[in-house]
Amino acid sequence: SSIFSAFYNAVFLLAFMIQSFFLISNTGEVLIEKHWRGVTPRSVCDFFWDEVNKHESKEEMLPIVATSKYYLVSIYRSDIFLVAAITRETQ
């Protein structure tokens, strides 16, 4: 179906652009990190967690947060944040 095809293409494109990936607990602890294109400093996780704490609930966190150098794309499920750091925009 075209929906699955579009979803697959979006995931493939995002995976191609990911520089680093972080799994962050609901207390802000980095549980897992993986780097593909250079090492992204953990300070981006501190920045991300500061942004999370600006909201009354974690579900209100915006899915994309821009820093001076990275875009942090996040998903919140089951009290865990999956955060991907990318360095450029795409269409």
Side-chain angles (χ1 to χ4, degrees):
S1 140
S2 64
I3 292 173
F4 291 113
S5 176
F7 176 76
Y8 176 80
N9 289 338
V11 168
F12 178 77
L13 182 60
L14 184 59
F16 178 72
M17 297 174 54
I18 293 174
Q19 178 168 327
S20 297
F21 169 82
F22 300 93
L23 198 65
I24 302 175
S25 74
N26 65 349
T27 61
E29 177 185 3
V30 177
L31 302 172
I32 297 173
E33 63 183 271
K34 173 69 177 156
H35 306 280
W36 285 278
R37 293 171 178 80
V39 176
T40 303
R42 272 202 181 186
S43 60
V44 300
C45 295
D46 297 332
F47 177 86
F48 176 79
W49 197 249
D50 289 343
E51 293 297 311
V52 169
N53 287 326
K54 291 179 181 178
H55 302 287
E56 289 198 21
S57 72
K58 292 176 179 59
E59 289 83 5
E60 295 174 6
M61 180 62 185
L62 297 174
I64 301 174
V65 177
T67 71
S68 61
K69 189 173 178 183
Y70 303 99
Y71 292 95
L72 304 176
V73 181
S74 66
I75 299 171
Y76 182 66
R77 297 284 186 275
S78 302
D79 290 333
I80 299 286
F81 278 100
L82 291 81
V83 181
I86 59 176
T87 56
R88 58 190 167 119
E89 291 185 55
T90 186
Q91 294 181 347

